[in-house]
Amino acid sequence: MTIRFLEFTVGDKFLTLVGKKRAVWIPADVYKKFGPYVIVMAKKESFWRTLFRPKN
């Protein structure tokens, strides 16, 4: 299974300056549905949710 992460955006760079990290989710049960030869795109947490969440 190959997991592809999205590229950094301007929002990601701003969040790193503020000192916050975005959560990344990998879809569940992809390996069971499609087998070992699948390419999956990870999903990022919303910019606004990350911005207003506490640092730690």
Side-chain angles (χ1 to χ4, degrees):
M1 178 166 65
T2 303
I3 302 170
R4 294 207 175 179
F5 294 98
L6 300 172
E7 307 237 351
F8 268 32
T9 61
V10 176
D12 291 326
K13 292 176 184 178
F14 175 75
L15 289 172
T16 55
L17 287 175
V18 177
K20 298 194 176 195
K21 296 180 182 178
R22 267 191 181 179
V24 177
W25 290 286
I26 300 169
D29 297 333
V30 175
Y31 189 79
K32 291 180 183 177
K33 288 182 183 178
F34 301 109
Y37 306 107
V38 66
I39 298 173
V40 178
M41 291 294 290
K43 295 181 181 180
K44 288 185 182 179
E45 183 180 21
S46 169
F47 172 79
W48 297 106
R49 179 176 279 180
T50 306
L51 187 61
F52 294 118
R53 186 170 34 105
K55 274 190 180 180
N56 295 326

